[in-house]
Amino acid sequence: MALRSLLRHEALLALILAVALAVLAVDNERFFTAANLLNQGRLMTEVGLIAVVMTFVIITGGIDLSVGSILGLCAILVGVFWKTLGLPLPVAMVLCLVVGTLAGFVNGLIVTRFRVPPLIATLATLALYRGLAEGISQAQSIRGYPSWFFVLGQGNVLGVPTQLWLLAIVALVGFFILRFTAFGRATYAIGNNEMGAEFSGIDVVRTKLLIYSASGFVSALAALVFVSRVSTTRSDMGTGIELDVITAVVLGGTSIFGGRGLVVGTLIGLCLVQVLKNGLALSGVKGDGTIVIIGFVLIAAVLVSNLLRRYSSD
């Protein structure tokens, strides 16, 4: 039993992360400093927030490619609600979260009620939501937010970036739900055998609708953090972020075929990707080289994990 726990994908990934931290710290003295590590935590928060719920989505055997477009749509809407329509900024922020949740609900509705494969459904809404964001913004950015708004994306609480506390809360809630609740067990059951889950009395449609709605909600939450961090609103925000999110989740051990995954693994995968990006950049590796190395690490981690899993099950 102890051997199996050591051979878990998450343990292997944590070991790779530790090795990467050690190597990069030796290679560059600017890397392993509190200021740099906290700044990297600040930069990875948007991806992390979405990745926590994407873990649920992929465990069910689904996928959500529209999260980046929802982020962009909600980012532009918070500015439009506030500056163009003249609503108080707190109200605009709440409406932003509502729109994101509704966008995720629409995704879930298409997947569950119309039986459209998640890949196709969210690929379509990716284009739809991005088109809406660009149409609403008319290529204009919105600036001039009040200083209190920047606390979310640029402030610190007890010396730690504010958004890292937010990520910690979302991650803890996601971990608890997936590990200790009936909803978490239903999520795994759907991913392992959806028809069997239905026959067991699990409301598959309701579960999926809640998960996709939550995916939209955290995408909107990430939009607020993003706008607060960069001090402006643009419709192209979040472009390509879905790939970073899926990379973190899959690297963290969540099976793309469903039925297996942990929030802890997703967080370790997220940290590993961000550490490699930052450490390699500080070492002078160009962007395309960094992408190649991260791709190699992803493939290697998945292959080694599969080999060890087969060995431990024998």
Side-chain angles (χ1 to χ4, degrees):
M1 191 69 179
L3 176 62
R4 290 190 177 185
S5 65
L6 287 174
L7 295 180
R8 285 189 65 94
H9 181 94
E10 293 78 17
L12 171 65
L13 204 61
L15 178 61
I16 295 173
L17 176 60
V19 171
L21 284 169
V23 171
L24 292 170
V26 171
D27 184 65
N28 194 301
E29 62 181 13
R30 292 180 297 165
F31 173 74
F32 207 72
T33 62
N36 181 59
L37 294 179
L38 288 174
N39 186 55
Q40 295 312 305
R42 192 186 297 277
L43 294 175
M44 74 180 188
T45 298
E46 294 94 15
V47 175
L49 289 170
I50 302 172
V52 170
V53 181
M54 186 68 79
T55 305
F56 285 73
V57 174
I58 296 180
I59 286 175
T60 65
I63 198 79
D64 189 352
L65 298 178
S66 70
V67 289
S69 296
I70 295 175
L71 190 157
L73 175 61
C74 292
I76 199 66
L77 283 178
V78 72
V80 169
F81 288 148
W82 169 61
K83 205 156 194 178
T84 306
L85 300 183
L87 297 175
L89 187 52
V91 175
M93 293 168 68
V94 171
L95 288 177
C96 169
L97 295 174
V98 171
V99 170
T101 305
L102 286 176
F105 179 79
V106 169
N107 286 340
L109 205 60
I110 296 172
V111 170
T112 57
R113 296 299 184 183
F114 297 97
R115 300 290 182 177
V116 178
L119 179 67
I120 304 300
T122 58
L123 187 62
T125 54
L126 177 153
L128 172 63
Y129 299 147
R130 184 64 65 187
L132 286 172
E134 292 176 354
I136 293 170
S137 70
Q138 294 295 307
Q140 300 293 317
S141 61
I142 297 176
R143 303 174 183 271
Y145 292 93
S147 58
W148 64 263
F149 179 67
F150 298 132
V151 173
L152 181 61
Q154 301 177 28
N156 294 281
V157 176
L158 301 178
V160 177
T162 309
Q163 60 262 61
L164 270 182
W165 290 106
L166 183 61
L167 175 59
I169 292 170
V170 171
L172 284 172
V173 171
F175 171 79
F176 179 82
I177 292 174
L178 195 57
R179 184 70 178 81
F180 297 108
T181 68
F183 187 88
R185 292 190 290 273
T187 301
Y188 284 114
I190 292 170
N192 281 309
N193 187 333
E194 184 170 325
M195 186 173 293
E198 286 184 349
F199 286 136
S200 299
I202 294 172
D203 192 336
V204 173
V205 171
R206 176 178 174 274
T207 302
K208 285 188 174 182
L209 281 174
L210 286 173
I211 290 173
Y212 280 96
S213 297
S215 181
F217 174 82
V218 292
S219 298
L221 186 60
L224 294 176
V225 173
F226 202 158
V227 172
S228 177
R229 178 166 64 84
V230 301
S231 309
T232 187
T233 294
R234 300 190 317 273
S235 62
D236 63 345
M237 284 179 164
T239 301
I241 198 174
E242 61 276 356
L243 299 179
D244 291 335
V245 170
I246 294 169
T247 297
V249 175
V250 174
L251 182 59
T254 301
S255 173
I256 201 70
F257 301 107
R260 179 169 55 83
L262 293 172
V263 171
V264 171
T266 294
L267 294 177
I268 298 174
L270 173 70
C271 291
L272 179 57
V273 171
Q274 191 63 37
V275 161
L276 289 174
K277 283 183 178 180
N278 175 241
L280 293 171
L282 289 175
S283 299
V285 179
K286 295 182 179 179
D288 51 354
T290 301
I291 294 172
V292 170
I293 293 173
I294 291 175
F296 173 78
V297 171
L298 175 59
I299 294 171
V302 171
L303 289 177
V304 172
S305 175
N306 286 341
L307 289 173
L308 292 177
R309 190 177 295 112
R310 290 178 184 177
Y311 169 74
S312 63
S313 62
D314 290 341

